[in-house]
Amino acid sequence: MIDTPEYSKAAILVEQNKPLIVDYIKLPKVLSVGQILVEIKVSGICGSQIGEITGAKGPDKYLPHLMGHEGCGIVLEVGPGVTTVKKGDKVVLHWRKGDGLQAKNAVYEWNDQVLNAGWVTTFNTHAVISENRCTKISHDFDTDLASLFGCAITTGFGVVDNNAKIKLGESVVVFGAGGVGLNIIQACKLNSAYPIIAVDLFDNRLDLATKLGATHTINSNHEDPYVYINKIIGENKLDVFIDNTGIPSIIESGYSLLNEFGRLVLVGVPRKGRNVNIFTLPLHFGKQIIGSHGGESNPNSDIPRYSKLFENNLVDFKLLVSKRTSLENINQAINEMREGKTSGRILIDLK
């Protein structure tokens, strides 16, 4: 039995394209093999959650369900077979698989009905998580920043490290300067890419991109980004184009900007049914299209590596946090993200 809270407050996706409902849910009474109970302190909001709400991948057959996949919390209890964490540990919660067991999904109750959840959820004060979706960190590490290692940081740095494999002096365009894009820019700077061109719709995000390492910025609301990119890179054409938007026309244009050995890295995913049209012949002679799945990051090895960069002042993750808010105000925060009113991540304070 779990001798800890019986209920959790949570933000629930009940219907697509509708606000989340914040309410109390009932926790499972018994932890199954590989499950851990976490008291969540902070959660980030990722663009992927906006995609879930709007149905970017099509109809959602698991409604109603819990959401969120990057956070930080304290382990309250562990289920049978758990060996990588123990009661009292501080952990990062992440959606990429790490070490340990993959447990079955937790089943919650809400309004006398089953409430679905994945292997990790973070829009709730207490959550039952699969062991392989959490990584132990030091109790001294900043809780707010630790939450961002669940997705924004590990994905962004993984895209550069594992997918794009950017070399010294290569030219890079990062199209979309949200939470993941900002970390891609910061990782590009560490790899001494040049130029690093950030493109976005909002000046506040581009200002932050400059602080994190972008050498040039383009507001695509105000000017044709492709004309400007060609002016910057000149006759050599582009080495790497990283798309965070999933918009087919942007993907197609990025592909056309690349040199014969250029790499198109797809982080954003087009909405279901929206296809991309390209001339494939250059792919036979060196040009590449690379699909990214969370930057192919390995949380248990990458979180310690990337945290060392911060601890030694080589990166500035504090700039990534633009706002803190409460769970009760989560819908307002999501709308602010959609409208570009915040430049970096909005954190949900669940303490």
Side-chain angles (χ1 to χ4, degrees), residues 74-218:
I74 304 296
V75 176
L76 297 182
E77 297 287 345
V78 299
V82 173
T83 59
T84 63
V85 297
K86 63 182 185 304
K87 183 175 181 178
D89 283 346
K90 187 174 185 178
V91 291
V92 173
L93 306 175
H94 43 77
W95 66 274
R96 289 279 301 173
K97 285 184 182 180
D99 294 341
L101 298 172
Q102 176 150 307
K104 66 180 183 180
N105 293 347
V107 178
Y108 301 82
E109 290 182 33
W110 176 64
N111 286 350
D112 297 322
Q113 65 177 313
V114 170
L115 180 61
N116 295 309
W119 291 291
V120 59
T121 64
T122 60
F123 290 178
N124 33 328
T125 58
H126 299 80
V128 175
I129 309 294
S130 179
E131 181 186 12
N132 64 359
R133 262 56 176 202
C134 71
T135 297
K136 180 181 175 180
I137 57 169
S138 167
H139 274 277
D140 296 332
F141 199 86
D142 184 284
T143 300
D144 287 355
L145 301 186
S147 69
L148 301 182
F149 282 93
C151 178
I153 293 171
T154 46
T155 297
F157 277 68
V159 165
V160 173
D161 215 7
N162 303 319
N163 301 135
K165 299 179 180 177
I166 290 169
K167 302 178 181 66
L168 294 168
E170 286 195 309
S171 55
V172 184
V173 167
V174 180
F175 213 113
V180 171
L182 292 168
N183 282 293
I184 291 172
I185 289 165
Q186 194 159 204
C188 285
K189 181 183 178 182
L190 276 179
N191 279 26
S192 297
Y194 187 87
I196 304 169
I197 306 168
V199 187
D200 203 278
L201 298 170
F202 304 105
D203 286 334
N204 58 343
R205 290 181 180 173
L206 294 172
D207 290 342
L208 183 51
T210 299
K211 293 176 183 176
L212 292 172
T215 61
H216 301 76
T217 60
I218 305 170

Side-chain angles (χ1 to χ4, degrees), residues 244-295:
N244 298 307
T245 70
I247 298 172
S249 61
I250 292 174
I251 294 169
E252 293 161 4
S253 297
Y255 179 80
S256 69
L257 288 171
L258 293 169
N259 62 40
E260 61 180 328
F261 299 110
R263 283 101 69 202
L264 172 64
V265 182
L266 305 181
V267 182
V269 179
R271 293 183 69 86
K272 187 174 182 180
R274 298 188 65 188
N275 296 325
V276 176
N277 295 308
I278 60 168
F279 179 52
T280 62
L281 181 62
L283 298 175
H284 298 271
F285 296 96
K287 189 178 284 193
Q288 298 179 59
I289 299 176
I290 301 158
S292 177
H293 187 237

